[in-house]
Amino acid sequence: MAIKAAILGFGTVGEGVYRTIQSHKKELETLLGKKVEVAAILIQNKQKDRNIEDNVLVTTDYNEIINLSQLDIVVDAIVGKDPAFSYLKKAIERGCHIITANKEMFAHHGKALLALAKEHSVSVGFEATVAGGIPIIQTLRQLLKVNRVQQIQGIVNGTSNFILTEMREKKQSFPEALKLAQEKGFAEADPTNDVEGFDAFYKLMILSRVAFGAEPDWNKVERVGITSITSELIEVANKLDFRFKHVVSIHKDGDRLIGSVRPVLVGNSHPFFHVEGVENAVNVYSDIVGRITLQGPGAGMFPTASAVIEDLVYAGNRNQQDKHLDKPVTDAFPLTNGSLHDFYLLNGVNKRDLSASISITEQVADQTFIVETVHEEILRLIQENSSIRYYPILDGTQTLLNRKKRKTVTV
Ligand code: HSE
């Protein structure tokens, strides 16, 4: 008998999953010893023309799907917390494995779904929720079991990275670059989620749970998007040989998890410097192996379908089931690098507003300075004047030293 799957949603992700199940029939059958058939697809609008085979139930009514006589796997490719959460709960209760690409829903309800799935002895695949096609979840769950993770940093929103790259390389305006990201199917239905950092925030929470077995207090995580980055600032950074990247970061400080979601500048020795366009990258710093960087396409139809299809094989092959997927909460382990933001680019600030503990390295444009200080001083400054923008510089020391040398030679 075949494995019967239902796909909820037929947008970029849902369609990609459907097409991939068709195009990789043979591989799936070899790996699972059975055919995989898409039994049903949940859609929103009956009027749209879709290229779906006639033997697939295409419906707007989830009850028709959940009451099918055979259903083994439910793939969630819809957007938003509800009704996705209630659909998946019902699927688990019915004994189906679930796979989701829905970041917002999983960040909010992942814990509950994993607990329910454990009760019903089914699996939950969520590789597609973070960093598109990059197998970061399985890497953390399966391949780094003994390593104690110290810090994770990532470029996890393809749309933001695409916009920043287009603005720098092709001198596109922000709205032009966003429009292109939407046309290419990278952006969320409401792109505010991308450009204001919400999408990256949800992904960071999912990563945190997998790597540390816990999440930071959501209200204490700084979340800043890319909307403050103007073409002028990109030009300034370019001249300094830095690039803007939207980076999520999480590490443990004692018992506390410290997370941030914000634009930063990276120097050319940092692995994120060359992560361009819709690419994502995740750095995992852990105690035995050191730094690993995984890089790959972070959004789009087939990268996301790739993550779903790998989860599908995992779910379909019960023999491969790992009983120890939930990593225990790990002890804090001191960071050796990557957490200190010693240099910052400050924008919209006057020299006289800078206290003695913020030392100016260079004025690079009007009201724009590179400074050297500690994070607490920056937070104090922002508290006094919330219109000041700041961008930590990652791995910038060498770039700044080289620049100093070049300037000295010129003079
Ligand atoms: N809108 C998301 C992004 C899609 O741009 O990264 C993939 O999660």
Side-chain angles (χ1 to χ4, degrees), residues 13 101 103 128-133 155-162 181 185-191 193-194 199-200 203 278-280 297-300 304:
V13 178
K103 297 87 39 115
T129 57
V130 182
I155 295 177
V156 294
N157 183 264
T159 301
S160 296
N161 205 48
F162 179 84
F186 303 153
E188 296 301 298
D190 175 2
N193 280 313
D194 296 297
D199 179 79
K203 290 167 174 168
V278 73
E279 292 275 296
N280 280 189
T304 316

Side-chain angles (χ1 to χ4, degrees), residues 58-75:
V58 179
T59 176
T60 53
D61 181 2
Y62 182 65
N63 287 323
E64 283 192 57
I65 295 181
I66 202 69
N67 291 323
L68 282 171
S69 58
Q70 188 199 339
L71 186 62
D72 305 299
I73 298 179
V74 172
V75 177

Side-chain angles (χ1 to χ4, degrees), residues 1-7 15-39 73 75 99 302 305-318 320:
M1 230 200 303
I3 293 173
K4 303 264 185 185
I7 303 172
E15 181 171 355
V17 172
Y18 178 66
R19 306 258 167 262
T20 307
I21 291 176
Q22 286 180 319
S23 63
H24 287 68
K25 267 187 191 142
K26 276 209 181 109
E27 287 80 358
L28 290 173
E29 193 171 349
T30 309
L31 285 163
L32 297 169
K34 288 175 185 179
K35 282 197 172 111
V36 176
E37 282 173 19
V38 177
I73 298 179
V75 177
I99 297 170
F302 290 109
S306 161
V308 170
I309 220 78
E310 296 295 345
D311 273 349
L312 194 146
V313 169
Y314 189 80
N317 196 340
R318 303 302 302 268
Q320 283 181 13

